[in-house]
Amino acid sequence: MELLRKWLGHPEDIYNLLRFKMGGYRAVMPRMDTVSGEGCAGGGMRFAVAVSLPIAGGLELEDLQGPFQHTLPFHDYVTGHAAGFHTSLTAQCLSSCAKCALWSQSWRGLGRTEHHKPPMGLFPWLISMEFRNLSKVYQDVISDICHKMGVGMAEFLEKKVDSQREWDKYCHYVAGLVGIGLSRLFSASELEDSIVGQDTDLANSMGLFLQKTNIIRDYLEDQLEGREFWPREVWSRYAKKLSDLAKPENIDVAVQCLNELITNALHHVPDVLTYLSRLKNQSVFNFCAIPQVMAIATLAACYNNQQVFKGVVKIRKGQAVTLMMDATNIQAVKAIMYQYVEEV
């Protein structure tokens, strides 16, 4: 009955889901044959798409087909599951990855558990192969970004996110650098103007907006897994321990803390719009814009929502595909952003 009520409340979702399934996705997802090719711009784009899809907050990737699905676990493994290892082993693993994994056909990672084994098993024969087939200009960008990510994430293995500045720094390492690397690839491939790759502040802000959205939304999941990414500087004004926010008696102050972090994340929206306004290539625009509108919709769903501390908050699938099909030009994206900011 609840499911029926949800569909009846949003009948447009049914129409848009059917439209998406019956071919609408082709209008928003880059064609596979236009981003394939060894040692060329296409190869760089394919690698870029593969390593960055996991940061698309809220995007229902299981509904999409293509060769990317086998490359996603490595990025997710390194950035999202480092807590599953002994600290010294993980730091060693990240350092090893930064130095040689991209070039190695046999590197398997260190300190793996059964839970993390399959993703790393995929690395040598797929991601490394793709990387070694790229032109040097793309290899230089990717290896530089991976090295910086490895060093940065190793730094946060041994400390928690304390200040809001450290929150920005952590998000820079795990997502901002991805935005910077992608932007450099877009420019190197000449799909976009050089300013896109040169303006690292805007590219970094694109990644921070997505990562902060994920961190805010995933409060309960991270707590259950023993991870803490909310900045102490903020949550300590509302509770003695971050885990205390999940207690029923603290729900009012928990929501206040949640709303403060969402407000922090929304400060990146102007940068997002400026970045997107510079993009010329339609596939690049769609690829960059879709995660951003997913993020703003997710923040709107989380704002003032006690469910963040009780379970999972997700935007509807019909809502997601509607956003994907609508966010194809800068004016449409501005309208979407305005809609959800007004909702907040």
Side-chain angles (χ1 to χ4, degrees):
M1 183 60 69
E2 182 62 30
L3 182 61
L4 179 61
R5 187 180 299 111
K6 183 174 71 171
W7 286 115
L8 291 176
H10 301 276
E12 71 280 5
D13 286 358
I14 302 175
Y15 169 74
N16 286 321
L17 276 169
L18 289 173
R19 189 156 65 97
F20 185 80
K21 289 286 189 180
M22 296 178 69
Y25 64 88
R26 294 191 184 96
V28 295
M29 297 304 293
R31 287 174 57 86
M32 296 302 117
D33 58 355
T34 62
V35 291
S36 62
E38 298 183 352
C40 63
M45 272 294 294
R46 181 169 61 186
F47 193 93
V49 172
V51 299
S52 62
L53 277 174
I55 68 172
L59 187 58
E60 299 293 349
L61 293 172
E62 68 271 14
D63 292 331
L64 306 179
Q65 299 300 317
F68 306 145
Q69 58 187 335
H70 299 298
T71 67
L72 302 182
F74 175 71
H75 181 277
D76 182 63
Y77 165 87
V78 175
T79 60
H81 297 283
F85 297 88
H86 187 278
T87 300
S88 61
L89 288 178
T90 313
Q92 186 180 4
C93 175
L94 291 171
S95 176
S96 173
C97 171
K99 292 177 181 177
C100 65
L102 287 169
W103 295 100
S104 174
Q105 300 182 55
S106 58
W107 187 85
R108 292 284 196 243
L110 299 170
R112 291 177 289 124
T113 64
E114 283 302 311
H115 177 68
H116 297 98
K117 195 171 183 178
M120 296 311 291
L122 292 172
F123 188 88
W125 65 268
L126 185 56
I127 298 183
S128 181
M129 178 184 69
E130 284 286 344
F131 174 79
R132 286 180 282 111
N133 284 335
L134 297 177
S135 296
K136 186 176 185 299
V137 63
Y138 307 121
Q139 290 177 342
D140 289 346
V141 172
I142 294 167
S143 60
D144 176 55
I145 294 300
C146 286
H147 170 72
K148 290 175 179 176
M149 289 179 71
V151 172
M153 286 186 284
E155 175 186 337
F156 278 91
L157 285 173
E158 300 178 352
K159 69 176 184 180
K160 293 183 178 180
V161 179
D162 191 30
S163 65
Q164 293 186 66
R165 172 173 284 193
E166 284 187 344
W167 197 35
D168 282 357
K169 189 177 182 182
Y170 172 78
C171 292
H172 164 73
Y173 285 139
V174 300
L177 281 170
V178 176
I180 291 171
L182 284 168
S183 300
R184 289 169 60 186
L185 290 175
F186 296 153
S187 294
S189 66
E190 299 184 352
L191 291 172
E192 297 296 344
D193 294 338
S194 59
I195 186 63
V196 172
Q198 292 169 357
D199 195 335
T200 56
D201 287 342
L202 290 187
N204 183 61
S205 206
M206 290 278 286
L208 262 62
F209 186 56
L210 298 180
Q211 188 63 26
K212 286 182 178 181
T213 298
N214 288 339
I215 288 173
I216 291 167
R217 178 198 61 198
D218 293 342
Y219 164 84
L220 189 59
E221 177 185 334
D222 287 337
Q223 281 294 299
L224 294 175
E225 295 292 332
R227 300 186 295 260
E228 292 190 358
F229 299 117
W230 284 24
R232 177 187 293 272
E233 180 184 345
V234 175
W235 64 254
S236 62
R237 295 199 293 268
Y238 300 92
K240 292 183 178 179
K241 297 187 298 181
L242 182 56
S243 58
D244 288 345
L245 295 178
K247 296 179 179 179
E249 62 269 25
N250 295 330
I251 194 62
D252 289 340
V253 293
V255 168
Q256 292 173 29
C257 181
L258 167 69
N259 291 346
E260 181 173 343
L261 291 179
I262 291 175
T263 303
N264 176 294
L266 290 174
H267 280 88
H268 295 288
V269 170
D271 284 348
V272 169
L273 293 176
T274 302
Y275 180 96
L276 294 175
S277 69
R278 292 176 174 174
L279 301 180
K280 311 295 185 184
N281 182 278
Q282 187 65 57
S283 292
V284 172
F285 182 89
N286 294 352
F287 172 70
C288 294
I290 289 171
Q292 303 296 329
V293 296
M294 297 287 184
I296 192 75
T298 300
L299 289 179
C302 290
Y303 192 82
N304 226 36
N305 190 348
Q306 297 181 5
Q307 187 62 24
V308 171
F309 303 96
K310 300 175 182 179
V312 180
V313 175
K314 294 179 67 175
I315 60 176
R316 306 181 312 275
K317 279 196 174 185
Q319 183 182 5
V321 298
T322 300
L323 289 169
M324 290 176 68
M325 291 187 288
D326 287 350
T328 56
N329 62 78
I330 188 60
Q331 293 305 320
V333 171
K334 286 181 179 179
I336 291 169
M337 292 288 189
Y338 183 83
Q339 170 194 338
Y340 285 108
V341 169
E342 282 287 294
E343 187 176 309
V344 169

Short mmCIF file of all heavy atoms in Angstrom, two decimals, residues 101-138:
data_model
loop_
_atom_site.label_atom_id
_atom_site.label_comp_id
_atom_site.label_asym_id
_atom_site.label_seq_id
_atom_site.Cartn_x
_atom_site.Cartn_y
_atom_site.Cartn_z
N ALA A 101 50.84 0.57 -8.87
CA ALA A 101 49.71 -0.29 -9.24
C ALA A 101 49.18 -0.03 -10.64
O ALA A 101 48.77 -0.95 -11.33
CB ALA A 101 48.59 -0.12 -8.21
N LEU A 102 49.19 1.22 -11.07
CA LEU A 102 48.66 1.53 -12.38
C LEU A 102 49.45 0.87 -13.49
O LEU A 102 48.92 0.55 -14.55
CB LEU A 102 48.65 3.05 -12.60
CG LEU A 102 47.59 3.83 -11.83
CD1 LEU A 102 47.86 5.33 -11.92
CD2 LEU A 102 46.19 3.52 -12.33
N TRP A 103 50.75 0.64 -13.24
CA TRP A 103 51.62 0.07 -14.27
C TRP A 103 51.73 -1.44 -14.16
O TRP A 103 52.19 -2.09 -15.11
CB TRP A 103 53.01 0.67 -14.17
CG TRP A 103 53.04 2.14 -14.46
CD1 TRP A 103 53.08 3.16 -13.55
CD2 TRP A 103 53.01 2.76 -15.74
NE1 TRP A 103 53.07 4.37 -14.18
CE2 TRP A 103 53.04 4.16 -15.53
CE3 TRP A 103 52.96 2.26 -17.05
CZ2 TRP A 103 53.02 5.07 -16.58
CZ3 TRP A 103 52.95 3.17 -18.09
CH2 TRP A 103 52.97 4.55 -17.86
N SER A 104 51.33 -2.02 -13.03
CA SER A 104 51.57 -3.44 -12.78
C SER A 104 50.44 -4.32 -13.29
O SER A 104 49.27 -3.98 -13.19
CB SER A 104 51.75 -3.67 -11.27
OG SER A 104 51.85 -5.04 -10.99
N GLN A 105 50.82 -5.49 -13.83
CA GLN A 105 49.82 -6.47 -14.25
C GLN A 105 49.55 -7.50 -13.17
O GLN A 105 48.66 -8.34 -13.31
CB GLN A 105 50.31 -7.20 -15.51
CG GLN A 105 50.57 -6.29 -16.69
CD GLN A 105 50.99 -7.06 -17.92
OE1 GLN A 105 50.30 -7.98 -18.37
NE2 GLN A 105 52.14 -6.70 -18.49
N SER A 106 50.29 -7.42 -12.07
CA SER A 106 50.15 -8.45 -11.05
C SER A 106 49.84 -7.92 -9.66
O SER A 106 49.57 -8.69 -8.74
CB SER A 106 51.45 -9.28 -10.96
OG SER A 106 52.56 -8.43 -10.67
N TRP A 107 49.86 -6.59 -9.47
CA TRP A 107 49.61 -6.02 -8.14
C TRP A 107 48.22 -6.37 -7.66
O TRP A 107 47.24 -6.25 -8.39
CB TRP A 107 49.79 -4.50 -8.21
CG TRP A 107 49.73 -3.81 -6.88
CD1 TRP A 107 50.74 -3.63 -6.01
CD2 TRP A 107 48.59 -3.16 -6.32
NE1 TRP A 107 50.33 -2.91 -4.92
CE2 TRP A 107 49.00 -2.61 -5.08
CE3 TRP A 107 47.27 -2.99 -6.72
CZ2 TRP A 107 48.15 -1.91 -4.25
CZ3 TRP A 107 46.41 -2.29 -5.89
CH2 TRP A 107 46.86 -1.76 -4.68
N ARG A 108 48.11 -6.83 -6.42
CA ARG A 108 46.83 -7.28 -5.90
C ARG A 108 46.39 -6.54 -4.66
O ARG A 108 45.33 -6.78 -4.12
CB ARG A 108 46.90 -8.79 -5.55
CG ARG A 108 47.05 -9.68 -6.77
CD ARG A 108 45.72 -9.80 -7.46
NE ARG A 108 45.71 -10.92 -8.38
CZ ARG A 108 45.57 -10.83 -9.69
NH1 ARG A 108 45.45 -9.65 -10.24
NH2 ARG A 108 45.56 -11.89 -10.45
N GLY A 109 47.23 -5.65 -4.15
CA GLY A 109 46.86 -4.94 -2.94
C GLY A 109 47.35 -5.67 -1.71
O GLY A 109 47.80 -6.81 -1.76
N LEU A 110 47.26 -4.99 -0.55
CA LEU A 110 47.76 -5.55 0.70
C LEU A 110 46.69 -5.51 1.77
O LEU A 110 45.87 -4.61 1.79
CB LEU A 110 48.98 -4.75 1.19
CG LEU A 110 50.19 -4.75 0.25
CD1 LEU A 110 51.21 -3.73 0.74
CD2 LEU A 110 50.81 -6.13 0.17
N GLY A 111 46.71 -6.47 2.66
CA GLY A 111 45.83 -6.44 3.81
C GLY A 111 44.37 -6.67 3.47
O GLY A 111 43.50 -6.18 4.16
N ARG A 112 44.09 -7.40 2.40
CA ARG A 112 42.70 -7.56 1.99
C ARG A 112 41.99 -8.61 2.83
O ARG A 112 42.56 -9.60 3.26
CB ARG A 112 42.64 -7.98 0.51
CG ARG A 112 43.06 -6.89 -0.44
CD ARG A 112 43.05 -7.38 -1.89
NE ARG A 112 44.14 -8.30 -2.11
CZ ARG A 112 43.98 -9.53 -2.58
NH1 ARG A 112 42.79 -9.99 -2.85
NH2 ARG A 112 45.03 -10.30 -2.78
N THR A 113 40.71 -8.38 3.04
CA THR A 113 39.85 -9.36 3.66
C THR A 113 39.00 -9.99 2.57
O THR A 113 39.00 -9.55 1.43
CB THR A 113 38.92 -8.70 4.70
OG1 THR A 113 38.05 -7.80 4.02
CG2 THR A 113 39.72 -7.95 5.75
N GLU A 114 38.24 -11.02 2.91
CA GLU A 114 37.37 -11.65 1.90
C GLU A 114 36.36 -10.67 1.36
O GLU A 114 35.99 -10.70 0.20
CB GLU A 114 36.66 -12.86 2.53
CG GLU A 114 37.55 -14.09 2.67
CD GLU A 114 38.12 -14.54 1.32
OE1 GLU A 114 37.33 -14.65 0.36
OE2 GLU A 114 39.33 -14.75 1.24
N HIS A 115 35.92 -9.73 2.23
CA HIS A 115 34.92 -8.76 1.81
C HIS A 115 35.46 -7.85 0.72
O HIS A 115 34.72 -7.41 -0.17
CB HIS A 115 34.48 -7.92 3.01
CG HIS A 115 33.49 -6.84 2.67
ND1 HIS A 115 32.20 -7.11 2.27
CD2 HIS A 115 33.62 -5.49 2.64
CE1 HIS A 115 31.57 -5.98 2.02
NE2 HIS A 115 32.41 -4.98 2.24
N HIS A 116 36.77 -7.54 0.77
CA HIS A 116 37.35 -6.60 -0.18
C HIS A 116 38.08 -7.28 -1.32
O HIS A 116 38.59 -6.61 -2.21
CB HIS A 116 38.32 -5.67 0.54
CG HIS A 116 37.66 -4.82 1.57
ND1 HIS A 116 37.66 -5.14 2.89
CD2 HIS A 116 36.94 -3.67 1.46
CE1 HIS A 116 36.99 -4.22 3.57
NE2 HIS A 116 36.55 -3.33 2.73
N LYS A 117 38.15 -8.60 -1.32
CA LYS A 117 38.96 -9.32 -2.29
C LYS A 117 38.52 -9.14 -3.74
O LYS A 117 39.33 -8.85 -4.61
CB LYS A 117 38.98 -10.81 -1.93
CG LYS A 117 40.08 -11.59 -2.65
CD LYS A 117 40.16 -12.99 -2.06
CE LYS A 117 41.28 -13.76 -2.70
NZ LYS A 117 41.39 -15.12 -2.11
N PRO A 118 37.24 -9.30 -4.08
CA PRO A 118 36.85 -9.22 -5.50
C PRO A 118 37.20 -7.91 -6.20
O PRO A 118 37.74 -7.95 -7.29
CB PRO A 118 35.33 -9.44 -5.45
CG PRO A 118 35.10 -10.21 -4.20
CD PRO A 118 36.13 -9.70 -3.24
N PRO A 119 36.96 -6.74 -5.58
CA PRO A 119 37.29 -5.51 -6.30
C PRO A 119 38.75 -5.43 -6.69
O PRO A 119 39.08 -5.06 -7.80
CB PRO A 119 36.94 -4.40 -5.29
CG PRO A 119 35.89 -5.02 -4.42
CD PRO A 119 36.29 -6.47 -4.31
N MET A 120 39.67 -5.78 -5.77
CA MET A 120 41.08 -5.66 -6.08
C MET A 120 41.50 -6.70 -7.12
O MET A 120 42.43 -6.49 -7.88
CB MET A 120 41.91 -5.82 -4.80
CG MET A 120 41.64 -4.71 -3.80
SD MET A 120 41.70 -3.07 -4.53
CE MET A 120 43.45 -2.96 -4.87
N GLY A 121 40.82 -7.83 -7.15
CA GLY A 121 41.13 -8.83 -8.16
C GLY A 121 40.87 -8.35 -9.57
O GLY A 121 41.46 -8.82 -10.53
N LEU A 122 39.98 -7.36 -9.70
CA LEU A 122 39.65 -6.82 -11.01
C LEU A 122 40.71 -5.83 -11.50
O LEU A 122 40.81 -5.57 -12.70
CB LEU A 122 38.30 -6.10 -10.95
CG LEU A 122 37.06 -6.95 -10.73
CD1 LEU A 122 35.85 -6.04 -10.49
CD2 LEU A 122 36.80 -7.86 -11.92
N PHE A 123 41.48 -5.28 -10.60
CA PHE A 123 42.35 -4.16 -10.95
C PHE A 123 43.37 -4.49 -12.05
O PHE A 123 43.45 -3.77 -13.04
CB PHE A 123 43.07 -3.64 -9.71
CG PHE A 123 43.84 -2.39 -9.95
CD1 PHE A 123 43.23 -1.16 -9.83
CD2 PHE A 123 45.17 -2.43 -10.33
CE1 PHE A 123 43.93 0.01 -10.07
CE2 PHE A 123 45.88 -1.27 -10.58
CZ PHE A 123 45.25 -0.05 -10.44
N PRO A 124 44.17 -5.56 -11.90
CA PRO A 124 45.26 -5.75 -12.86
C PRO A 124 44.81 -5.91 -14.30
O PRO A 124 45.38 -5.29 -15.20
CB PRO A 124 45.94 -7.02 -12.35
CG PRO A 124 45.56 -7.12 -10.92
CD PRO A 124 44.16 -6.57 -10.87
N TRP A 125 43.80 -6.73 -14.54
CA TRP A 125 43.47 -7.07 -15.93
C TRP A 125 42.58 -6.06 -16.61
O TRP A 125 42.40 -6.10 -17.82
CB TRP A 125 42.82 -8.45 -16.01
CG TRP A 125 41.49 -8.59 -15.34
CD1 TRP A 125 41.27 -8.99 -14.06
CD2 TRP A 125 40.21 -8.35 -15.90
NE1 TRP A 125 39.93 -8.99 -13.78
CE2 TRP A 125 39.25 -8.63 -14.90
CE3 TRP A 125 39.75 -7.94 -17.16
CZ2 TRP A 125 37.87 -8.48 -15.12
CZ3 TRP A 125 38.38 -7.80 -17.37
CH2 TRP A 125 37.47 -8.07 -16.36
N LEU A 126 42.02 -5.13 -15.88
CA LEU A 126 41.12 -4.17 -16.52
C LEU A 126 41.61 -2.73 -16.40
O LEU A 126 41.94 -2.10 -17.41
CB LEU A 126 39.72 -4.29 -15.92
CG LEU A 126 38.64 -3.43 -16.57
CD1 LEU A 126 38.57 -3.71 -18.07
CD2 LEU A 126 37.29 -3.68 -15.93
N ILE A 127 41.71 -2.22 -15.19
CA ILE A 127 42.09 -0.83 -15.03
C ILE A 127 43.53 -0.59 -15.47
O ILE A 127 43.83 0.37 -16.19
CB ILE A 127 41.88 -0.37 -13.58
CG1 ILE A 127 40.39 -0.47 -13.22
CG2 ILE A 127 42.38 1.06 -13.39
CD1 ILE A 127 40.05 0.01 -11.84
N SER A 128 44.44 -1.46 -15.03
CA SER A 128 45.84 -1.29 -15.42
C SER A 128 46.01 -1.40 -16.93
O SER A 128 46.80 -0.66 -17.54
CB SER A 128 46.71 -2.32 -14.70
OG SER A 128 48.07 -2.15 -15.04
N MET A 129 45.28 -2.32 -17.54
CA MET A 129 45.36 -2.48 -18.99
C MET A 129 44.90 -1.20 -19.69
O MET A 129 45.54 -0.72 -20.63
CB MET A 129 44.50 -3.66 -19.45
CG MET A 129 44.49 -3.86 -20.96
SD MET A 129 43.38 -5.17 -21.46
CE MET A 129 41.79 -4.44 -21.07
N GLU A 130 43.76 -0.64 -19.24
CA GLU A 130 43.27 0.60 -19.82
C GLU A 130 44.30 1.71 -19.67
O GLU A 130 44.58 2.45 -20.61
CB GLU A 130 41.96 1.02 -19.14
CG GLU A 130 40.75 0.23 -19.57
CD GLU A 130 40.28 0.59 -20.96
OE1 GLU A 130 40.70 1.66 -21.47
OE2 GLU A 130 39.52 -0.17 -21.55
N PHE A 131 44.86 1.82 -18.48
CA PHE A 131 45.82 2.90 -18.21
C PHE A 131 47.04 2.78 -19.10
O PHE A 131 47.49 3.77 -19.70
CB PHE A 131 46.24 2.86 -16.74
CG PHE A 131 47.32 3.84 -16.39
CD1 PHE A 131 47.00 5.18 -16.19
CD2 PHE A 131 48.64 3.44 -16.27
CE1 PHE A 131 48.00 6.10 -15.88
CE2 PHE A 131 49.64 4.35 -15.97
CZ PHE A 131 49.32 5.68 -15.77
N ARG A 132 47.61 1.59 -19.24
CA ARG A 132 48.84 1.41 -20.02
C ARG A 132 48.62 1.62 -21.51
O ARG A 132 49.58 1.83 -22.25
CB ARG A 132 49.42 0.02 -19.75
CG ARG A 132 50.08 -0.07 -18.37
CD ARG A 132 50.66 -1.43 -18.05
NE ARG A 132 49.62 -2.38 -17.66
CZ ARG A 132 49.25 -3.41 -18.39
NH1 ARG A 132 49.82 -3.64 -19.57
NH2 ARG A 132 48.32 -4.24 -17.97
N ASN A 133 47.37 1.59 -21.97
CA ASN A 133 47.07 1.83 -23.38
C ASN A 133 46.84 3.30 -23.71
O ASN A 133 46.65 3.65 -24.88
CB ASN A 133 45.83 1.02 -23.80
CG ASN A 133 46.14 -0.45 -23.98
OD1 ASN A 133 47.28 -0.83 -24.24
ND2 ASN A 133 45.13 -1.29 -23.81
N LEU A 134 46.83 4.16 -22.69
CA LEU A 134 46.56 5.57 -22.92
C LEU A 134 47.80 6.31 -23.42
O LEU A 134 48.93 5.87 -23.21
CB LEU A 134 46.08 6.23 -21.63
CG LEU A 134 44.76 5.74 -21.03
CD1 LEU A 134 44.49 6.46 -19.72
CD2 LEU A 134 43.61 5.96 -22.00
N SER A 135 47.57 7.46 -24.03
CA SER A 135 48.68 8.34 -24.40
C SER A 135 49.32 8.90 -23.14
O SER A 135 48.68 9.00 -22.09
CB SER A 135 48.16 9.50 -25.27
OG SER A 135 47.64 9.02 -26.48
N LYS A 136 50.57 9.31 -23.25
CA LYS A 136 51.32 9.76 -22.08
C LYS A 136 50.66 10.95 -21.40
O LYS A 136 50.69 11.07 -20.17
CB LYS A 136 52.75 10.12 -22.48
CG LYS A 136 53.64 10.47 -21.28
CD LYS A 136 55.07 10.72 -21.72
CE LYS A 136 55.97 10.96 -20.51
NZ LYS A 136 55.55 12.12 -19.70
N VAL A 137 50.06 11.85 -22.16
CA VAL A 137 49.44 13.03 -21.56
C VAL A 137 48.35 12.65 -20.57
O VAL A 137 48.20 13.27 -19.50
CB VAL A 137 48.89 13.97 -22.66
CG1 VAL A 137 47.78 13.30 -23.46
CG2 VAL A 137 48.38 15.28 -22.03
N TYR A 138 47.60 11.59 -20.89
CA TYR A 138 46.55 11.12 -19.98
C TYR A 138 47.14 10.33 -18.82
O TYR A 138 46.68 10.43 -17.68
CB TYR A 138 45.52 10.28 -20.74
CG TYR A 138 44.97 10.98 -21.95
CD1 TYR A 138 45.09 10.43 -23.22
CD2 TYR A 138 44.34 12.21 -21.83
CE1 TYR A 138 44.59 11.08 -24.33
CE2 TYR A 138 43.84 12.88 -22.93
CZ TYR A 138 43.96 12.30 -24.19
OH TYR A 138 43.49 12.96 -25.29
#
